[in-house]
Amino acid sequence: MNSVAISAFKISASIGNRSILQGIDLQLPAGRWTSIVGPNGAGKSTLLKVLAGLLPRVAVQGDVQLLGRPLAQIPARERARQLAWLGQNEGSADDLTSYDVAMLGRLPHQAWLAPPGTADHAAVEHALRTTQAWDWRHRPLSQLSGGERQRVLLARALAVQAQVLLMDEPLANLDPPHQTDWLHTMRALVDAGGTVVSVLHEVSLALQADDMVVMAQGRVLHQGACDAPETHAALEQVFDRRIHVRHLDGMWMALPSIHRHDNKTKEIDA
Ligand code: ADP
Ligand code: MG
């Protein structure tokens, strides 16, 4: 039986008067990789922030549990060791070197004002080598390309060595070979017992996860295995039948359905 890494009960969120998430119940299994997909504005980033405890409490109703404990009751440092976070379009201190940025991931492991120890340096080196960012460890973040920078930020999240890793659009600016590397890294983390939750707009890559959460308009429409026909049906529906899920070269892929996107066709389909 799988245990649950993160549970969400009756989550609603609003910003100002706007309701952004509505009544979300979700259980994300431990030791698996779940991808969250849905159209722009569906509430994916907001949900991920709620799961990480990053939205102000006043904006959120409902409860989140991390590894069986209410998130709100876990002390911040302990939470930061258990749950690593990589946000969408995240900035970082640009004048820091890549090495120092990755070392930020070790802060929750270090005593107050203590210098990094052997384990911290080892974790940072391993993380930077994993994302192939080790070669530019002495360079400031401001001198890197978007994709290079993203790999340093990913290394920072990996350096935490948390049980649960939450990532919002982690593939932004990555070229195809590094996207493939990222898939292998996620698979290795999960094989080692970790839990990965990633918001992805690259649907074909999202289909390489174990499980998928399909969102639209602040709700979860479907949660299921990435290879299940019901999941593929939910995906095609949520993207207005403008993609088709096909099995190609042993993988599930989402292909654009270029002939079917005019309004007339949609009416006939419906
Ligand atoms: P997604 O990540 O799926 O694209 P988001 O969670 O970022 O969606 O946003 C969901 C909805 O909430 C969108 O309509 C967006 O405009 C709105 N929203 C997000 N953040 C804010 C904010 N800080 N203030 C007002 N509206 C917001
Ligand atoms: Mg988003």
Side-chain angles (χ1 to χ4, degrees):
M1 263 230 21
N2 268 323
S3 60
V4 175
I6 301 184
S7 311
F9 304 100
K10 297 194 169 64
I11 297 296
S12 297
S14 41
I15 298 179
N17 287 334
R18 266 193 80 196
S19 162
I20 295 182
L21 299 176
Q22 293 153 45
I24 291 185
D25 284 306
L26 201 58
Q27 306 227 311
L28 300 174
R32 287 175 75 84
W33 170 17
T34 302
S35 54
I36 303 179
V37 298
N40 295 331
K44 305 179 297 293
S45 294
T46 307
L47 176 62
L48 208 67
K49 280 182 199 154
V50 171
L51 299 181
L54 293 175
L55 273 200
R57 268 234 232 134
V58 289
V60 185
Q61 288 173 313
D63 296 299
V64 177
Q65 289 192 357
L66 172 64
L67 302 167
R69 291 164 70 194
L71 195 59
Q73 287 173 22
I74 306 176
R77 265 173 66 85
E78 190 185 339
R79 188 198 295 181
R81 282 195 299 268
Q82 292 179 344
L83 187 149
W85 167 262
L86 176 61
Q88 185 175 15
N89 303 322
E90 202 166 302
S92 191
D94 259 3
D95 46 345
L96 290 186
T97 64
S98 303
Y99 192 90
D100 289 341
V101 169
M103 189 59 85
L104 293 175
R106 298 301 298 174
L107 277 179
H109 294 274
Q110 292 162 11
W112 178 242
L113 293 182
T118 321
D120 299 315
H121 287 293
V124 165
E125 178 169 350
H126 186 255
L128 285 169
R129 288 191 187 281
T130 299
T131 65
Q132 295 185 45
W134 179 247
D135 285 351
W136 56 76
R137 61 192 175 279
H138 300 306
R139 288 169 59 191
L141 215 58
S142 57
Q143 290 177 16
L144 301 180
S145 77
E148 290 169 342
R149 200 186 162 84
Q150 186 68 7
R151 280 149 60 193
V152 172
L153 295 177
L154 183 58
R156 187 197 66 196
L158 293 176
V160 183
Q161 298 181 333
Q163 252 171 295
V164 180
L165 176 54
L166 301 189
M167 286 167 290
D168 196 355
E169 308 281 10
L171 302 180
N173 301 313
L174 291 197
D175 55 28
H178 290 103
Q179 293 187 348
T180 309
D181 288 347
W182 180 84
L183 289 178
H184 290 307
T185 302
M186 295 308 113
R187 188 49 65 197
L189 286 176
V190 168
D191 286 346
T195 304
V196 174
V197 182
S198 54
V199 169
L200 291 171
H201 70 253
E202 300 84 354
V203 181
S204 290
L205 294 169
L207 279 164
Q208 310 313 310
D210 298 311
D211 302 308
M212 186 171 271
V213 169
V214 181
M215 292 185 72
Q217 299 183 330
R219 298 175 192 274
V220 170
L221 292 191
H222 180 83
Q223 181 179 14
C226 283
D227 57 5
E230 297 79 14
T231 303
H232 304 163
L235 260 182
E236 292 177 354
Q237 184 202 332
V238 82
F239 287 110
D240 242 354
R241 307 202 176 279
R242 294 181 64 177
I243 59 162
H244 281 292
V245 179
R246 291 282 179 268
H247 205 237
L248 285 177
D249 278 344
M251 289 188 297
W252 290 104
M253 305 278 281
L255 305 178
S257 45
I258 38 184
H259 298 305
R260 311 183 64 177
H261 63 219
D262 56 285
N263 285 335
K264 254 190 203 151
T265 320
K266 240 192 273 168
E267 274 163 29
I268 295 168
D269 273 354

